Amino acid sequence: MVMIVGNLHQMRECFAVQARSGDFPSPALLVDFALLVDSFKDPSVSSELGSTFSVWTIFLHPSLPAMSDPITLNVGGKLYTTSLATLTSFPDSMLGAMFSGKMPTKRDSQGNCFIDRDGKVFRYILNFLRTSHLDLPEDFQEMGLLRREADFYQVQPLIEALQEKEVELSKAEKNAMLNITLNQRVQTVHFTVREAPQIYSLSSSSMEVFNANIFSTSCLFLKLLGSKLFYCSNGNLSSITSHLQDPNHLTLDWVANVEGLPEEEYTKQNLKRLWVVPANKQINSFQVFVEEVLKIALSDGFCIDSSHPHAVDFMNNKIIRLIRYR
């Protein structure tokens, strides 16, 4: 019995050390602790240690019967009260990982779970976890911030709901204009090729460099466009939405594939390629770029302006102007 009590207190002290460092014990360790508590029948000890166990299981172990117990979160200084069942309603999300014990979770000085993110818009994320429905006020003005927070928490159904909401808002806008000016040049790129161990040769090749300056009176359409186009850099795809510094202007710079250029050289020389999703198609020419932009714009209610540009400019892919009437 003395050994069991010693083990219990030793495990509780281990929990306390982890708590002070901001970490949580693993679910396996919690189960071991639970078995020891259940096997020890002295109420004066098991009650004290059992309360320690219950505090941790509320936060960490979704398979134990504490799913409906209240949990207080500190998100960027704003407090929210919810349940473990709500926080783990989407197991593949970051929140699902945090509150199933797969990721360490920090605590504030009051013992609340702490997340260093925007506290104001978290209410919309939490409500989505509760209802699986996106509810936003009619005058909501922080769609970009909410989209970034949803991306951080990786609640995929919420990300998809936000994309649908932006399409809906874009279609609800009235008259709009879209103007795209395209430029293209050829540039020589120099790179080294490894022919054998310790043997390198210098090579060069011509590459096509593209530039597109896009202006639209509909900032929501530009966000829609940004959700379809992605830069390929360092082997990863990143949405061009993050490059929207002005809500009405977007500048794109990218290159076509260069024959013989090793993949690591694209990263080393900061050469970005452009992809369109969900088609997963790389854009290696202005013709493909124009086709994809037209598909997106026409589906959003735009049509080609018959008075501008000049037919020669349009056919040469230099200028595209589209308009939308509501």
Side-chain angles (χ1 to χ4, degrees):
M1 183 178 69
V2 173
M3 184 176 64
I4 295 177
V5 173
N7 287 340
L8 285 168
H9 283 287
Q10 185 178 11
M11 294 178 76
R12 187 175 67 166
E13 180 60 28
C14 176
F15 291 171
V17 170
Q18 289 180 302
R20 286 193 290 271
S21 66
D23 296 325
F24 288 133
S26 66
L29 186 59
L30 286 169
V31 171
D32 290 341
F33 187 45
L35 292 175
L36 281 172
V37 171
D38 289 340
S39 67
F40 192 64
K41 303 303 182 182
D42 186 341
S44 64
V45 178
S46 62
S47 175
E48 175 192 1
L49 296 174
S51 64
T52 300
F53 168 72
S54 65
V55 169
W56 287 105
T57 54
I58 286 174
F59 283 93
L60 282 178
H61 208 286
S63 64
L64 294 172
M67 297 290 283
S68 62
D69 288 355
I71 298 176
T72 300
L73 304 182
N74 179 345
V75 184
K78 190 171 181 61
L79 298 181
Y80 291 92
T81 300
T82 184
S83 68
L84 188 62
T86 295
L87 293 171
T88 57
S89 56
F90 295 96
D92 294 334
S93 69
M94 181 175 288
L95 287 168
M98 288 170 64
F99 291 94
S100 63
K102 297 177 183 178
M103 292 179 60
T105 306
K106 302 297 182 181
R107 297 195 304 158
D108 64 14
S109 59
Q110 303 301 314
N112 302 313
C113 289
F114 176 71
I115 304 176
D116 188 16
R117 300 296 297 186
D118 188 275
K120 182 180 178 182
V121 300
F122 186 74
R123 61 172 293 198
Y124 304 110
I125 294 171
L126 185 56
N127 282 336
F128 187 87
L129 297 181
R130 290 166 172 156
T131 65
S132 297
H133 190 271
L134 178 62
D135 293 301
L136 298 176
E138 292 185 2
D139 59 345
F140 186 69
Q141 299 295 320
E142 297 183 295
M143 188 68 75
L145 174 60
L146 180 56
R147 186 172 57 250
R148 285 190 293 274
E149 293 302 292
D151 185 64
F152 170 79
Y153 292 111
Q154 283 298 293
V155 182
Q156 192 58 41
L158 174 57
I159 295 173
E160 295 170 1
L162 285 169
Q163 290 174 345
E164 293 176 2
K165 185 68 174 179
E166 290 185 335
V167 171
E168 176 187 328
L169 291 173
S170 179
K171 289 182 177 180
E173 284 185 324
K174 296 184 178 180
N175 299 349
M177 182 188 74
L178 172 64
N179 193 82
I180 305 175
T181 304
L182 305 171
N183 292 288
Q184 179 180 3
R185 59 187 172 86
V186 177
Q187 177 179 313
T188 301
V189 58
H190 303 281
F191 55 94
T192 57
V193 177
R194 185 177 182 180
E195 298 179 345
Q198 308 301 322
I199 300 177
Y200 295 85
S201 64
L202 182 64
S203 183
S204 62
S205 181
S206 295
M207 68 176 181
E208 291 183 284
V209 181
F210 304 106
N211 169 266
N213 287 300
I214 306 172
F215 167 79
S216 178
T217 55
S218 170
C219 59
L220 291 176
F221 172 75
L222 285 189
K223 291 180 180 178
L224 171 64
L225 186 64
S227 70
K228 306 291 186 182
L229 299 176
F230 286 73
Y231 278 134
C232 178
S233 180
N234 197 23
N236 298 312
L237 294 179
S238 61
S239 172
I240 64 171
T241 303
S242 59
H243 299 268
L244 268 172
Q245 298 180 347
D246 182 323
N248 295 105
H249 292 86
L250 176 63
T251 300
L252 299 177
D253 294 285
W254 76 97
V255 301
N257 268 342
V258 181
E259 184 177 356
L261 183 66
E263 184 65 30
E264 61 269 16
E265 289 292 331
Y266 287 97
T267 302
K268 188 181 299 182
Q269 302 196 35
N270 194 29
L271 301 174
K272 293 178 290 188
R273 288 159 290 177
L274 193 63
W275 285 70
V276 60
V277 295
N280 291 326
K281 179 191 299 184
Q282 185 174 349
I283 298 178
N284 281 316
S285 69
F286 268 148
Q287 180 179 349
V288 174
F289 178 77
V290 170
E291 289 174 354
E292 295 300 329
V293 171
L294 283 177
K295 288 178 187 176
I296 299 169
L298 294 176
S299 68
D300 199 48
F302 283 89
C303 60
I304 297 173
D305 187 348
S306 59
S307 62
H308 186 86
H310 190 277
V312 174
D313 283 335
F314 188 84
M315 294 305 294
N316 288 335
N317 294 336
K318 293 180 181 178
I319 300 174
I320 301 173
R321 179 174 292 176
L322 299 100
I323 53 177
R324 183 177 65 197
Y325 297 110
R326 294 292 189 189

